[in-house]
Amino acid sequence: MMKIHVLGSAAGGGFPQWNCNCRNCYGLRQGRIRAIPRTQSSIAVSSDDEHWVLFNTSPDIRAQLQAFPQIQPRNGLRDTGIGAIVYMDSQIDHTAGLLMLREGCPHEVYCTDMVHADLTGGFPVFRMLEAWNGGVNRHRIDIDPVSSFTIPGFENLRFTPVPLSSKAPPYSAHRHDPHRGDNIGIGIEDLPSGKKVFYAPGLGSIEDHLLPVMSQADCLLVDGTFWREDEMIAAGVGSQLAAAMGHLPQSGEGGMIHVLDGLRHPRKILIHINNTNPILDEDSEERRTLQRHAIEVAYDGMEITL
């Protein structure tokens, strides 16, 4: 049996975003829309409900762990249920929380070479933590060729990285020169049951190699950042299109709804929801559209058992 716990379900900035008065953020603060707050995206996965692999460490990590009793200290003076950390990319909203975990160093950290380069270079969080018992024990995620791996202490789980088309962080030396390994999705299989989940909070396009992975999963937790391609512009809070930010919107021809409609087997859940996305309003027509297509919206504290 595999358990997936959603620590955070929002995109960078969370919901409501601290400096935003868009319709959603203002509406939530004023009680004018039916919606729930969300922290920045991360999940935890376990096969025994006691030891957990974290996928990303958002800046909200301390509050997320405080809200999750199963991962809190159980034995001895200092303890944690965190057995390893896997990074999907090197975005600040997915990595900065590692600084909040410095008291638990060294951490067992799994990431690609591109992510490692960013986290020792443009945003050198790994180097910053070296003074705390060495910081991290880094394990390489192989993508050339792709190689599945297991993590000590989690022998019932097998992890398969899937390179994705997306964007390196704005601080990255190759922000405008995408490299294989800047962003990955990951398939997680519970070996005793054969059940699989595919997690991809950042997904710029659906490439040919991706559809078979998605169709074979029992559950999908995939990019739900934007409803429409020009959402930031339409909301008056930005100037970039979704594609330029490395995200596939839900609506429109070839959008995420169209893609997910073609997959009959998996449970379909959107995660990494931007504060501007109308699906956060539970009474919106956009949320009703998702319901008609049997697509769920992740929320903080959501639990999935496979």
Side-chain angles (χ1 to χ4, degrees), residues 39-203:
T39 59
Q40 295 166 97
S41 72
S42 175
I43 66 170
V45 176
S46 176
S47 60
D48 62 9
D49 205 28
E50 183 175 352
H51 304 92
W52 298 83
V53 179
L54 293 191
F55 291 82
N56 298 332
T57 53
S58 90
D60 301 314
I61 187 67
R62 188 181 182 280
Q64 292 169 345
L65 298 180
Q66 185 64 25
F68 184 29
Q70 292 96 313
I71 209 167
Q72 294 169 12
R74 298 184 181 187
N75 304 299
L77 290 175
R78 293 290 177 95
D79 182 39
T80 177
I82 301 171
I85 299 167
V86 177
Y87 284 120
M88 316 301 291
D89 54 52
S90 51
Q91 299 284 349
I92 286 177
D93 56 307
H94 286 164
T95 59
L98 186 62
L99 295 171
M100 302 301 104
L101 302 179
R102 60 190 180 276
E103 295 87 355
C105 289
H107 292 287
E108 304 301 318
V109 171
Y110 294 72
C111 64
T112 66
D113 286 344
M114 289 298 101
V115 169
H116 182 260
D118 282 341
L119 296 182
T120 54
F123 180 40
V125 60
F126 288 175
R127 291 182 177 175
M128 293 163 67
L129 288 173
E130 287 176 358
W132 283 267
N133 298 318
V136 305
N137 295 323
R138 186 258 173 154
H139 306 268
R140 184 174 186 264
I141 293 180
D142 291 317
I143 55 170
D144 290 311
V146 167
S147 177
S148 296
F149 62 95
T150 57
I151 295 175
F154 298 89
E155 284 76 12
N156 284 344
L157 300 176
R158 180 165 59 199
F159 306 88
T160 303
V162 181
L164 302 178
S165 172
S166 191
K167 295 282 186 179
Y171 69 78
S172 175
H174 55 276
R175 167 66 171 180
H176 302 294
D177 178 24
H179 282 56
R180 184 175 165 90
D182 285 337
N183 188 292
I184 63 170
I186 199 153
I188 311 163
E189 180 181 3
D190 179 66
L191 294 175
S193 68
K195 297 290 186 180
K196 300 176 183 178
V197 62
F198 178 68
Y199 178 53
L203 188 54

Side-chain angles (χ1 to χ4, degrees), residues 242-262:
M245 300 174 70
H247 298 287
L248 179 69
Q250 282 105 65
S251 63
E253 185 176 353
M256 188 64 78
I257 293 175
H258 175 79
V259 172
L260 295 180
D261 277 350

